[in-house]
Amino acid sequence: MDTRRLAAFIKVVDVGSVTRAASLLHIAQPALSQQMVALEGEFRQKLLIRSPRGVSLTPAGRALYHHAHIMLRQEAEARRSVSEPELVVSGEVCVGLAPSSSATSLALPLLRKVREKYPNVILHIREHFGPALTELIMKDAMHVAVLYDVGPIRGLSFETIATEQWCVVGLEEFFPIGNDAIPLAALADREMFLPVRSTYPRARIEKACRDCGFSPHIIAELESLSTLGEALAEGLGITILPLPVALELQRVFPVTVRTLTEPEIIAPISLCLKDDATHSVAATAVIEILREETMNLHGASAT
């Protein structure tokens, strides 16, 4: 298959006109039209609907447009790899991390390890809640995300790589003396800071509370961990957090961390990838580091 035809096909679709595409590609319009006809002949499918207003895609054309982008990325990656026998891992990789989860504790270890092993890789780390992350991955605007398993979602795969145990965090005066573990029901009358609505952590905590026969007494919804830490340190309330996040907060603020029982609150953390994505060498390397660091983080927090 002539990938130059695929590139020309993408240009025609993007600008919506064979004539305009021919001008941008610096080729004659009849020659470009002939390439489109040849492409349709090769696939034995009508790909473009031509009208006085320009061109639009048939269902077959939409499928080819999607796969053509992937094939051209693969070709570019193959050419780069072959032209660099001593392959230098380089490029830009976008990683998503879900806030209010242990994923946020991965940012610094990930930056450190990527800098150490692949100094020519530029990381883009973005924090969003699950729905925003999955949408970015579907749009090929992000390579990978670490989030709570919100699947199944068609076109995405979720690889569970760790399990989070959640705990209660606040000043020591809020908790019974000498009790390492606290029954969730004991928090019924406590004033709480929780994540915003329509997020997995909020839904998971509220369900656990309902199962214990009470609704949490929420006094504020906080997204910033630094603001949350300051509010906890002033004794304004308590919160429920994943253990790695709670321990990170405890290193900065004078708060107490207690495990929860009756019931325990446990949630899976997953690596989210697009099913048909073709990852560069850099993205593949970063994804592997992400797996390792997630397992290291949860292994360390469990000890």
Side-chain angles (χ1 to χ4, degrees):
M1 182 182 297
D2 188 344
T3 55
R4 289 175 298 180
R5 284 182 185 168
L6 290 179
F9 171 73
I10 289 173
K11 181 63 71 175
V12 168
V13 174
D14 286 344
V15 302
S17 163
V18 175
T19 302
R20 288 176 59 199
S23 176
L24 292 170
L25 294 170
H26 304 291
I27 60 176
Q29 186 269 335
L32 182 57
S33 294
Q34 189 175 5
Q35 286 188 34
M36 296 303 99
V37 171
L39 200 58
E40 290 179 324
E42 188 171 354
F43 284 97
R44 298 180 182 178
Q45 293 281 349
K46 188 173 180 62
L47 303 172
L48 298 170
I49 300 171
R50 298 159 177 84
S51 74
R53 292 177 297 178
V55 298
S56 58
L57 288 170
T58 65
R62 281 194 295 273
L64 179 60
Y65 181 77
H66 170 73
H67 289 289
H69 280 283
I70 296 172
M71 294 166 72
L72 291 176
R73 284 200 301 268
Q74 287 178 321
E75 181 192 32
E77 180 63 25
R79 289 183 182 279
R80 190 178 70 84
S81 298
V82 171
S83 67
E84 300 177 14
E86 303 298 326
L87 183 63
V88 175
V89 179
S90 62
E92 300 187 17
V93 182
C94 186
V95 175
L97 302 175
S100 300
S101 77
S102 58
T104 55
S105 301
L106 290 168
L108 187 56
L110 179 64
L111 281 168
R112 188 183 297 119
K113 186 61 70 70
V114 170
R115 178 64 184 164
E116 174 190 329
K117 295 184 69 174
Y118 307 112
N120 293 307
V121 170
I122 300 173
L123 273 180
H124 300 269
I125 297 178
R126 302 175 68 177
E127 290 190 18
H128 293 287
F129 286 104
L133 293 178
T134 53
E135 184 177 350
L136 287 168
I137 291 176
M138 287 294 289
K139 291 180 176 178
D140 292 318
M142 181 173 287
H143 294 94
V144 60
V146 181
L147 41 67
Y148 294 110
D149 191 341
V150 296
I153 297 176
R154 187 175 179 182
L156 298 180
S157 61
F158 293 87
E159 174 192 338
T160 301
I161 52 178
T163 302
E164 278 187 348
Q165 181 182 16
W166 292 0
C167 55
V168 59
V169 186
L171 290 184
E172 189 172 359
E173 64 194 50
F174 284 114
F175 309 125
I177 297 174
N179 288 356
D180 291 330
I182 296 178
L184 183 60
L187 306 180
D189 297 325
R190 300 296 187 192
E191 296 178 325
M192 290 191 190
F193 303 109
L194 289 186
V196 296
R197 292 181 178 87
S198 304
T199 62
Y200 179 93
R202 174 69 170 268
R204 183 71 181 85
I205 293 168
E206 288 188 329
K207 181 182 184 305
C209 292
R210 284 197 305 270
D211 291 345
C212 285
F214 73 96
S215 295
H217 182 187
I218 302 167
I219 59 172
E221 297 177 341
L222 301 178
E223 293 186 42
S224 165
L225 278 179
S226 60
T227 302
L228 176 60
E230 290 170 357
L232 294 172
E234 286 196 20
L236 300 180
I238 63 172
T239 192
I240 295 174
L241 290 171
L243 181 56
V245 181
L247 294 177
E248 196 68 33
L249 212 61
Q250 192 180 44
R251 293 188 183 99
V252 182
F253 300 98
V255 294
T256 295
V257 176
R258 298 285 185 88
T259 55
L260 279 170
T261 60
E262 304 174 27
E264 291 183 324
I265 301 181
I266 294 174
I269 285 289
S270 295
L271 211 63
C272 179
L273 300 162
K274 191 175 181 183
D275 286 340
D276 61 1
T278 302
H279 291 125
S280 65
V281 174
T284 300
V286 169
I287 290 168
E288 189 54 39
I289 291 176
L290 205 50
R291 281 196 184 94
E292 294 172 0
E293 291 303 319
T294 303
M295 293 174 185
N296 290 341
L297 174 67
H298 285 271
S301 63
T303 57

